[in-house]
Amino acid sequence: MYGSCTGRAQGSARARLRTGAVAAAGALLLLSSCSDGSDGDGGAAGAQQPKSRAPYWVNPDGSAAEQATAFRKDGHDADAELIEKISRQPAAEWIGVEDPEGQARGFTEAATEADREALLVLYNIPHRDCGQYSKGGAADGNAYRDWLGKAISGIGERKTTVVLEPDALPHVEDGCTPQQFHEERYALLSEAVTKLKALPNTKVYLDAGNPHWITDPGRMAEPLKRAGIGKADGFALNTSNYQTTEENTAYGKKLSAMVGNKPFVIDTSRNGNGPAPGKDDPEAWCNPPGRALGEPPTTRTGDKLVDAYLWIKRPGESDGDCKGGPAAGEWWPEYALELARNAKT
């Protein structure tokens, strides 16, 4: 039931999104279980990370938190401690298709109650994922506008950071999205940026792939401009992928210089060991073994152009039914344990 994004060879975001009514109700119930908003150490289950390090909301009832509780109940304390490396960190909530307003309101209200900022992903663009694992999205432009409007109503005036439409622009640039849909996609993304930025406390980052997808950053500059990067707060890199923070930073700086020196965020959720070695596996993006959690989410990046390291992909959720994994977006405890066990911090 928990939304997630997965990565393909070039970095596609594949997801089985949350069931709207269930997720919204769950988020509203979290209001009673969040911390008191103090600048805590994030040690206890459901506690928040210090705002000075990571101002984003930790969901105390996510898949990882539920797994840690189950492990402790069964006496598997060592496994529970590993999973808590995930459950104690803020990760993005992916807004589904059935009740975007209820979900967005539930998550943002829970975050506000905890004196934190919500981190959301909007992922419903028409012709999403080129008919692959996360195919779908809104039926057409008007359906997308309606869905977006409901999500925006749910966000309201509460502090929120939005990663907008993973893969949408790289899939235009790599030819995966058919040419006849390009103009509509640019228009919808630009409209989305404008509407989201009309909210008083919302930051917006347009997804821009990763260094191993569109390898020449110059190819992403014009798509970002057409999609409204000038109005956005910046762009996002490495969503659901495994490329190193160093490579993403170097790539991002080159791209930033081409789009008005806009800052960027990097998904570090699973890049602790970088991508899988070798080039023989055509699905190297899909549940590669030996990977690790990356840098914990933080706004303390030490680089003025890197606004934050974020866990946009929810660690422990499958990339797809490959290498023994369940369907895309399903919680996979064995993979979560491997990511945590291999983490350097």
Side-chain angles (χ1 to χ4, degrees):
M1 63 179 287
Y2 293 95
S4 79
C5 173
T6 67
R8 68 180 188 126
Q10 292 89 357
S12 176
R14 310 171 192 276
R16 188 179 71 86
L17 300 176
R18 289 175 180 266
T19 300
V22 174
L28 290 169
L29 288 172
L30 294 175
L31 293 174
S32 63
S33 62
C34 292
S35 76
D36 61 5
S38 62
D39 204 38
D41 63 5
Q48 303 299 314
Q49 291 292 329
K51 288 176 69 175
S52 58
R53 182 170 71 234
Y56 310 103
W57 176 60
V58 177
N59 185 342
D61 198 31
S63 299
E66 290 181 349
Q67 184 68 70
T69 298
F71 276 146
R72 290 207 182 277
K73 183 178 179 180
D74 293 340
H76 302 306
D77 289 349
D79 286 344
E81 289 179 7
L82 285 172
I83 294 298
E84 284 167 357
K85 289 185 178 182
I86 298 172
S87 67
R88 290 173 174 167
Q89 298 295 338
E93 303 289 349
W94 292 63
I95 300 301
V97 299
E98 294 182 12
D99 185 17
E101 183 171 356
Q103 283 189 276
R105 179 175 291 110
F107 293 134
T108 57
E109 285 185 353
T112 299
E113 182 72 12
D115 191 28
R116 293 301 187 273
E117 180 176 327
L119 176 60
L120 305 180
V121 179
L122 299 186
Y123 184 54
N124 194 37
I125 202 77
H127 317 292
R128 190 181 68 197
D129 204 30
C130 308
Q132 299 175 88
Y133 282 106
S134 285
K135 64 182 178 182
D140 54 33
N142 287 334
Y144 184 78
R145 292 181 180 98
D146 180 68
W147 175 86
L148 176 68
K150 292 174 180 176
I152 287 172
S153 294
I155 293 170
E157 297 186 356
R158 292 172 286 277
K159 289 184 177 180
T160 305
T161 290
V162 172
V163 176
L164 184 59
E165 295 299 341
D167 307 342
L169 289 176
H171 272 158
V172 167
E173 183 58 24
D174 72 1
C176 184
T177 299
Q179 178 70 39
Q180 64 263 35
F181 303 131
H182 290 189
E183 292 301 320
E184 177 189 61
R185 178 159 298 183
Y186 288 132
L188 291 175
L189 290 172
S190 182
E191 289 175 32
V193 172
T194 298
K195 292 174 181 178
L196 286 162
K197 287 306 299 176
L199 298 174
N201 294 301
T202 295
K203 297 177 182 177
V204 182
Y205 295 88
L206 278 161
D207 185 79
N210 70 70
H212 284 225
W213 186 350
I214 308 298
T215 57
D216 176 5
R219 290 175 55 195
M220 285 304 304
E222 188 61 25
L224 281 171
K225 291 175 183 178
R226 296 188 66 181
I229 189 65
K231 299 168 289 185
D233 291 273
F235 55 92
L237 294 176
N238 205 46
T239 297
S240 298
N241 214 277
Y242 301 86
Q243 311 307 321
T244 68
T245 301
E246 293 74 20
E247 278 196 273
N248 278 284
T249 300
Y251 181 94
K253 287 183 175 181
K254 293 177 183 177
L255 181 53
S256 173
M258 302 173 188
V259 293
N261 296 314
K262 287 286 185 175
F264 54 97
V265 297
I266 300 171
D267 186 352
T268 60
S269 57
R270 305 183 300 174
N271 72 348
N273 282 344
K279 299 181 180 180
D280 295 333
D281 182 1
E283 290 192 331
W285 55 269
C286 194
N287 301 320
R291 301 311 92 203
L293 300 174
E295 291 97 335
T298 185
T299 53
R300 295 180 180 177
T301 67
D303 193 312
K304 64 181 181 180
L305 277 177
V306 184
D307 277 352
Y309 300 143
L310 302 177
W311 284 9
I312 303 173
K313 165 71 177 185
R314 300 167 65 82
E317 293 179 346
S318 177
D319 290 326
D321 54 356
C322 61
K323 302 180 179 71
E330 293 282 356
W331 174 252
W332 187 9
E334 293 80 9
Y335 200 73
L337 284 168
E338 183 179 28
L339 290 171
R341 190 176 293 115
N342 293 339
K344 298 177 176 63
T345 58

